[in-house]
Amino acid sequence: MKIGFIGLGIMGKPMCRNLMDKGYECVVYDLLPDNVEQMEEAGAQRAESAAEAAKGREIVITMLPNSPQVRDVVLGPQGIAEAMTRGSILIDMSSIAPLASREIGETLEEKGIEMLDAPVSGGEPKAIDGTLSIMVGGKREVYEKVRDLLLCMGSSAVYCGTLGAGNTTKLSNQIVVAMNIAACAEAFTLAKKAGVDPELVFQAIRGGLAGSTVMDAKVPMMLEGNDKPGFKIDLHIKDLNNAVETGHELGMALPMTVQVLEMFEQLHGDGLGQKDHSALIRYYEKITGVSVRK
Amino acid sequence: MKIGFIGLGIMGKPMCRNLMDKGYECVVYDLLPDNVEQMEEAGAQRAESAAEAAKGREIVITMLPNSPQVRDVVLGPQGIAEAMTRGSILIDMSSIAPLASREIGETLEEKGIEMLDAPVSGGEPKAIDGTLSIMVGGKREVYEKVRDLLLCMGSSAVYCGTLGAGNTTKLSNQIVVAMNIAACAEAFTLAKKAGVDPELVFQAIRGGLAGSTVMDAKVPMMLEGNDKPGFKIDLHIKDLNNAVETGHELGMALPMTVQVLEMFEQLHGDGLGQKDHSALIRYYEKITGVSVRK
């Protein structure tokens, strides 16, 4: 089966490669010709537009930066909605606002095109390894049709509910991760400010109720001053903005999320947007004048 | 060796029992005669005042509600500082402000009395089982002298630094736990508000970077509407107030902690102070009008 694959960035490229490794033919498109050429060399068929990549395909995958890009590629002029046929499936694996997923899906539904939102977590390393965690929203029977295909790119593909549920789950994940990073940053800065070695605090509390994957993965980075991404602040800003906007559109304030978002915004303003999100510790270091690093 | 044990509340009683089970004789005092009687029946020697419990003891343990009570029992009129002798050791196992520990310790040092701060985590069940996590501040050689004794009450006794470091570590722990509870509450309320089953979100994200001991222990309680403590909101309010005050005295603002504290304060105001801290979800339910429960 030939798959249309649109969006060949840091994530899209290895995901597409994994599909091809498992025997799927891919017709690919990206705004940047360089990305298309790389995938052509890897064995993909090149398309000159998103619509061309999508035309006649049973399944089209999009992996794009954010809601406006997905809306544009799907519903814009020369969008893939015009190229796709009744009964085909769009799997949008971008991390976008869940309400955007729903809107796009409603328009596609009128044309008889199915859609799933299937954002991923795990970042570039797991995209390369094909071990992403994939969170899926849409009709369950459509999910079941493409589940094996998704598992070429991920080690899990969890069904979360109707269209938008994948992105809602992803946003919930990003809220918890961001706040947990902030929790560690605030707590360990206080410890250092009080004259206590943050490494000893880390060892003392990580085994108890305060323990978390974030603490184990990110606090050592904070203490070593290692802010190589991992997951970039600018991407976390994008996700948290989507979370806050989703909340507001649904009539819910996110008082904690918005605070962490503002800290990330300050770091972005300080030129640190490309650093790992654990560099949030630098916000606290700057505000307090304390260095938490060893 | 006879130990003075002052403060026989929910935590103090089982801790004292574990010491006696391991062969230590305890001379006990509490403001409430009932508590003293219970421990007398369990084999302790009764004292009529804190000073009497402490007089002539090599080691005195205090397990009291907060900084003012410890200050009062140690340094107040008829305080144990007057009764203890040069070379003896006060182990304050209360969870109090680290700066209060330091102040009390400085006064004791002038009298040649050693002091450790050794707050615990794990709550009543682990106090009963003798499996508390004990975080210790003070001189390392004093810690080493009493380490075996501490391990009659806990499964770990981690040395965290100079006097106050135990309580600083405890406060760091409480900050991380509180914010992680808030993270889960905010994220799962958003999911429910967006029409996604929080149980599916929980299953989808708990294995990834968002995973934590809080998520595994407290989110099921939130989803079941089970707010039986565990750890009470009013106690978490006390700890977070100590954290914020400690920060302020050191010249550090705790912008995230203070937000969670205010949510807990609202729940206290709503008469829920005796519920488990995971009942923070009720704040979000009230604000949003959404029920996160199954």
Side-chain angles (χ1 to χ4, degrees):
Chain A
M1 179 167 51
K2 266 192 198 172
I3 292 170
F5 203 112
I6 297 156
L8 304 166
I10 289 172
M11 297 296 287
K13 261 188 296 224
M15 289 163 69
C16 182
R17 269 205 186 91
N18 279 319
L19 284 175
M20 295 195 293
D21 286 349
K22 300 281 164 53
Y24 290 97
E25 286 182 71
C26 291
V27 187
V28 301
Y29 178 72
D30 190 277
L31 274 183
L32 298 178
D34 258 15
N35 287 341
V36 179
E37 270 158 40
Q38 282 176 47
M39 293 314 294
E40 205 178 8
E41 281 161 26
Q45 180 183 329
R46 124 183 250 141
E48 299 305 327
S49 69
E52 189 190 320
K55 196 171 173 74
R57 306 280 95 77
E58 280 172 62
I59 293 175
V60 177
I61 293 174
T62 43
M63 190 61 183
L64 297 162
N66 204 353
S67 319
Q69 290 80 15
V70 177
R71 214 177 251 122
D72 194 48
V73 161
V74 179
L75 303 179
Q78 285 102 48
I80 62 177
E82 299 300 323
M84 289 178 75
T85 49
R86 188 165 285 272
S88 63
I89 301 168
L90 170 65
I91 311 174
D92 178 36
M93 302 188 74
S94 324
S95 287
I96 71 172
L99 298 178
S101 298
R102 279 193 219 166
E103 281 169 29
I104 295 165
E106 279 164 21
T107 307
L108 292 178
E109 184 139 46
E110 291 165 14
K111 300 170 182 286
I113 302 165
E114 301 291 350
M115 175 174 171
L116 298 173
D117 66 316
V120 306
S121 76
E124 191 185 5
K126 295 199 170 184
I128 292 170
D129 295 345
T131 55
L132 292 165
S133 298
I134 307 175
M135 296 151 270
V136 190
K139 293 181 195 154
R140 191 185 276 275
E141 64 269 24
V142 179
Y143 157 75
E144 276 159 10
K145 262 188 210 166
V146 304
R147 193 166 173 275
D148 289 345
L149 180 142
L150 292 173
L151 290 175
C152 299
M153 298 173 277
S155 53
S156 73
V158 180
Y159 181 74
C160 300
T162 57
L163 190 60
N167 275 303
T168 299
T169 303
K170 171 81 189 267
L171 294 182
S172 297
N173 186 78
Q174 297 302 77
I175 288 171
V176 172
V177 170
M179 282 182 56
N180 212 336
I181 290 174
C184 292
E186 191 156 307
F188 285 86
T189 305
L190 178 66
K192 186 66 180 274
K193 187 92 182 169
V196 180
D197 181 356
E199 178 71 31
L200 290 177
V201 176
F202 174 58
Q203 294 304 339
I205 73 176
R206 61 189 289 231
L209 189 53
S212 66
T213 310
V214 161
M215 188 178 284
D216 284 344
K218 301 297 179 179
V219 169
M221 292 178 72
M222 293 179 187
L223 299 185
E224 287 157 16
N226 169 13
D227 47 24
K228 190 176 160 228
F231 190 76
K232 288 174 187 169
I233 285 173
D234 281 349
L235 283 171
H236 219 144
I237 287 175
K238 182 201 86 167
D239 289 339
L240 297 184
N241 269 320
N242 278 335
V244 171
E245 279 171 27
T246 300
H248 292 181
E249 290 186 53
L250 297 168
M252 176 184 172
L254 301 181
M256 303 295 295
T257 303
V258 86
Q259 283 257 48
V260 188
L261 177 52
E262 284 300 288
M263 294 181 194
F264 279 140
E265 285 285 2
Q266 183 60 57
L267 294 171
H268 171 84
D270 294 345
L272 301 173
Q274 297 298 305
K275 302 290 185 190
D276 188 67
H277 49 178
S278 62
L280 186 72
I281 190 70
R282 294 218 201 170
Y283 176 87
Y284 281 93
E285 289 184 328
K286 184 178 168 186
I287 294 296
T288 60
V290 157
S291 170
V292 176
R293 291 171 221 188
K294 278 179 207 166
Chain B
M1 179 166 51
K2 265 193 198 171
I3 293 171
F5 202 110
I6 297 155
L8 304 166
I10 289 171
M11 297 296 286
K13 262 189 297 226
M15 290 162 68
C16 182
R17 268 204 187 92
N18 279 319
L19 284 175
M20 294 195 293
D21 285 351
K22 301 280 164 52
Y24 290 96
E25 286 181 72
C26 290
V27 187
V28 302
Y29 178 72
D30 190 279
L31 274 183
L32 299 178
D34 258 16
N35 288 341
V36 179
E37 270 158 41
Q38 281 176 47
M39 293 314 294
E40 204 178 7
E41 281 161 26
Q45 181 183 328
R46 125 183 249 140
E48 298 305 327
S49 68
E52 188 191 319
K55 195 172 172 74
R57 308 280 94 80
E58 280 173 63
I59 293 175
V60 177
I61 293 173
T62 44
M63 190 62 182
L64 297 162
N66 204 350
S67 319
Q69 290 80 16
V70 176
R71 214 178 249 123
D72 194 49
V73 161
V74 179
L75 304 179
Q78 284 103 50
I80 62 177
E82 300 300 323
M84 290 178 74
T85 49
R86 187 164 286 270
S88 64
I89 301 169
L90 171 65
I91 310 175
D92 178 35
M93 302 190 72
S94 324
S95 288
I96 72 172
L99 298 177
S101 298
R102 280 194 218 165
E103 281 169 28
I104 295 165
E106 278 164 22
T107 307
L108 291 178
E109 183 139 46
E110 290 165 17
K111 300 170 182 287
I113 302 165
E114 301 291 350
M115 176 173 172
L116 298 173
D117 66 316
V120 306
S121 77
E124 191 184 6
K126 295 200 170 183
I128 292 170
D129 296 345
T131 56
L132 293 164
S133 298
I134 307 174
M135 296 151 270
V136 190
K139 292 181 196 155
R140 191 183 276 275
E141 64 268 24
V142 179
Y143 157 75
E144 276 159 11
K145 259 188 211 167
V146 303
R147 194 166 173 275
D148 289 345
L149 180 143
L150 292 174
L151 290 174
C152 299
M153 296 173 279
S155 52
S156 73
V158 180
Y159 182 74
C160 301
T162 56
L163 190 60
N167 275 303
T168 299
T169 303
K170 172 82 189 266
L171 293 182
S172 298
N173 186 78
Q174 297 302 79
I175 288 171
V176 173
V177 169
M179 282 183 55
N180 214 336
I181 290 174
C184 293
E186 192 156 306
F188 285 86
T189 305
L190 178 65
K192 186 64 180 275
K193 187 90 182 171
V196 180
D197 180 356
E199 177 71 30
L200 289 177
V201 176
F202 174 59
Q203 294 303 340
I205 73 176
R206 62 190 288 232
L209 189 53
S212 66
T213 311
V214 160
M215 188 178 283
D216 285 344
K218 300 297 179 178
V219 169
M221 292 177 73
M222 293 179 187
L223 300 185
E224 287 157 17
N226 169 12
D227 48 24
K228 191 177 159 228
F231 190 77
K232 288 174 187 171
I233 285 173
D234 281 349
L235 283 172
H236 219 144
I237 288 176
K238 183 201 86 168
D239 289 339
L240 296 184
N241 270 319
N242 278 335
V244 171
E245 279 172 27
T246 300
H248 292 182
E249 289 185 52
L250 297 168
M252 175 184 173
L254 300 181
M256 303 295 296
T257 303
V258 85
Q259 284 256 50
V260 189
L261 177 53
E262 284 300 288
M263 294 181 193
F264 279 140
E265 285 285 2
Q266 183 60 58
L267 293 170
H268 170 84
D270 294 343
L272 301 172
Q274 297 298 303
K275 302 291 184 189
D276 187 68
H277 48 178
S278 62
L280 187 70
I281 191 70
R282 293 218 202 170
Y283 177 88
Y284 282 93
E285 290 184 326
K286 184 179 168 186
I287 293 296
T288 60
V290 156
S291 171
V292 176
R293 292 172 222 190
K294 279 179 205 166

